[in-house]
Amino acid sequence: MANEIWTIKRCLEWTKEYLAERGEEHPRLSAEWLLCAATGLARIDLYMRMDETLNAAQLETMHAAVVRRAKGEPLQYITGSTQFRMIDVACAPGVLIPRPETEMLVEEVLNYLDAEVLSPEAAARQRVELPWNDEVEEARKAEAALADERATAERRAANLTAADEAALGGDVLGSRAYAEELADREAEEAAAQAAEAEVAEAAESELDEYGIAIEGADQETALAQDAAAPAPTEPRIARVLEVGCGTGCISLSLAWERRGHVTCTATDIEPRAIDLATKNRDALGLTADEVAFSLTNLVSSIPREEWGTFDVLVSNPPYIPTGVMRSLPHEVKDFEPDLALEGGADGLDIFRRLLNAAPYMLRAGGLFACELYEGALDAAAELCRQAGLSDVRIVHDLTDRPRIVRAIVTEPKQRQ
């Protein structure tokens, strides 16, 4: 076996068949993932380099990976990463693997921030005619004039008969070539003069918001109004609190996709999660000021002076009902952490605690959004209404299952 030649193609086909025999649902896709991790190649490169031979180190890595996958270990733990929205996220045993449903939770938060927090603070943008717009238009007119001049010159030259040209002989003043050259030169000079005049006129006059020149007293008035106009305010920075961050995928996506406009504070009770989330933050080049991770139980570490300052409280908490845990797929229940999965008898144990904290953490009008077990959404929505939250909505996932509850805190609370 050690002396055999294993090309990418052969290894891909063998792995696919091996995993299929052991019940792998998508054996070829799994084989591609494992080969990409072992070789460092992208999936498309595998098919461009099918005849390349794997070296000893790659074969050893691939063998160990196939053994782990055949035992049911999640691909994300074996390869060490997964893609989440626009970012790559490192994954490791002991920390929940990001799911597509959670991408939708991020989308809900972004939609809220864009509509209710960021957009109202953005200055309205109006189309303003700038001085160089007129210059472009004048250049277009000059080109048209030049074309007319050339056409005229051609017509003049065409009126010269063969006899006329023969009579003129070497007299350059009567040649067709000179007529064309003269017309070109005159047109170019006219265009240059027109452009210079336009630039000078623009420099001497102030323009209003529609690109129309303001002269005399009107210009002085406009200058005075500009001087009296208030300085632009700093753009609004949204503040997000995430509870149970895991890999950090939610907070990191929010900060990455709205960089400079969103800052996040994220907590988790699992040290391995905080370490992994910090690693993912550093890999993206984000700073602790943009996304701060804290090892704590729910919101215990949030300073009292920050209560009521957050625009969003978002969470993908443990939400699998205890009775459902036994029926989870092998690769989930036997490899992913129970701490990040089990949510009590109805799946809402942690949710209730988050709902209790939301009015203290959020400002008036702040968003509370959680991903939950599909069978618990109606109960969760009713709990939100009983707690006094408004605009309570249930959002369905891509498979049309109820997946997210979102609500608005209208009356923030303060602990005495």
Side-chain angles (χ1 to χ4, degrees):
M1 183 73 134
N3 295 326
E4 291 185 54
I5 297 176
W6 284 84
T7 63
I8 288 177
K9 180 179 181 180
R10 182 185 178 191
C11 191
L12 180 63
E13 294 301 323
W14 184 91
T15 303
K16 181 191 71 173
E17 294 176 6
Y18 182 82
L19 293 178
E21 291 173 357
R22 283 152 182 80
E24 174 68 46
E25 186 175 1
H26 303 289
R28 188 173 192 87
L29 181 62
S30 294
E32 290 171 347
W33 273 42
L34 297 177
L35 260 175
C36 288
T39 61
L41 297 175
R43 285 178 65 193
I44 186 63
D45 292 332
L46 295 179
Y47 292 92
M48 300 292 291
R49 301 162 70 168
M50 281 289 198
D51 294 330
E52 286 193 13
T53 303
L54 299 178
N55 60 40
Q58 291 170 336
L59 278 173
E60 184 177 351
T61 299
M62 190 64 184
H63 177 264
V66 171
V67 170
R68 292 171 65 183
R69 183 57 188 161
K71 293 179 179 178
E73 186 171 352
L75 281 166
Q76 294 89 340
Y77 287 162
I78 301 171
T79 62
S81 68
T82 193
Q83 189 171 18
F84 185 86
R85 291 182 63 88
M86 298 173 63
I87 63 176
D88 289 326
V89 178
C91 300
V95 182
L96 190 71
I97 297 169
R99 302 297 202 277
E101 294 86 349
T102 308
E103 295 186 0
M104 293 189 62
L105 180 61
V106 173
E107 189 71 18
E108 285 296 317
V109 173
L110 287 175
N111 289 339
Y112 166 81
L113 292 176
D114 289 343
E116 304 297 335
V117 181
L118 302 179
S119 294
E121 301 296 327
R125 294 180 179 271
Q126 298 180 349
R127 183 179 184 274
V128 178
E129 293 291 343
L130 299 174
W132 54 79
N133 289 19
D134 291 335
E135 294 177 22
V136 172
E137 178 62 19
E138 192 58 41
R140 187 193 65 77
K141 293 179 180 178
E143 290 176 358
L146 180 59
D148 290 340
E149 292 289 344
R150 284 177 174 167
T152 301
E154 289 175 357
R155 286 194 296 271
R156 289 174 182 170
N159 289 332
L160 292 175
T161 65
D164 292 333
E165 289 184 328
L168 289 170
D171 186 356
V172 70
L173 292 176
S175 70
R176 180 176 300 171
Y178 181 75
E180 294 175 349
E181 179 182 348
L182 182 61
D184 288 349
R185 188 182 307 160
E186 291 173 349
E188 289 171 356
E189 291 175 354
Q193 291 173 359
E196 290 174 359
E198 181 63 25
V199 171
E201 182 180 352
E204 293 173 357
S205 61
E206 188 72 24
L207 302 179
D208 67 12
E209 60 178 327
Y210 301 103
I212 301 174
I214 305 173
E215 299 179 357
D218 289 339
Q219 182 172 342
E220 293 178 2
T221 301
L223 291 173
Q225 290 175 345
D226 289 342
T233 58
E234 289 295 320
R236 172 86 149 81
I237 303 297
R239 303 194 72 232
V240 175
L241 173 60
E242 181 192 1
V243 177
C245 64
T247 61
C249 59
I250 294 176
S251 288
L252 295 175
S253 289
L254 293 172
W256 179 260
E257 295 184 39
R258 297 295 184 274
R259 192 161 192 182
H261 300 283
V262 175
T263 63
C264 301
T265 298
T267 71
D268 204 293
I269 198 171
E270 169 58 61
R272 288 175 294 182
I274 295 298
D275 290 343
L276 186 60
T278 302
K279 174 184 175 182
N280 283 324
R281 181 190 66 196
D282 295 344
L284 288 170
L286 293 169
T287 67
D289 289 333
E290 293 172 294
V291 183
F293 294 112
S294 175
L295 179 64
T296 191
N297 184 17
L298 301 181
V299 297
S300 299
S301 66
I302 305 303
R304 182 64 66 96
E305 60 269 20
E306 294 187 24
W307 290 12
T309 66
F310 294 99
D311 299 289
V312 175
L313 195 166
V314 61
S315 182
N316 175 20
Y319 62 66
I320 305 298
T322 303
V324 178
M325 288 288 293
R326 295 186 295 273
S327 62
L328 291 177
H330 164 58
E331 68 177 67
V332 176
K333 68 180 179 181
D334 293 334
F335 289 94
E336 296 198 66
D338 288 352
L339 183 64
L341 292 169
E342 187 171 356
D346 61 357
L348 296 176
D349 281 4
I350 301 300
F351 173 80
R352 289 185 176 88
R353 297 173 66 185
L354 293 173
L355 178 58
N356 182 62
Y360 297 97
M361 296 295 112
L362 295 172
R363 61 166 177 80
L367 175 70
F368 174 56
C370 283
E371 177 183 333
L372 296 170
Y373 178 66
E374 60 188 85
L377 266 298
D378 288 336
E382 183 57 31
L383 288 172
C384 288
R385 296 186 189 97
Q386 292 175 6
L389 275 62
S390 65
D391 193 18
V392 180
R393 306 181 203 173
I394 294 174
V395 180
H396 289 235
D397 63 20
L398 296 175
T399 62
D400 202 30
R401 292 184 174 92
R403 183 61 60 194
I404 296 166
V405 64
R406 49 162 292 171
I408 300 298
V409 169
T410 53
E411 298 182 4
K413 298 179 181 179
Q414 293 184 353
R415 285 198 175 98
Q416 301 300 323

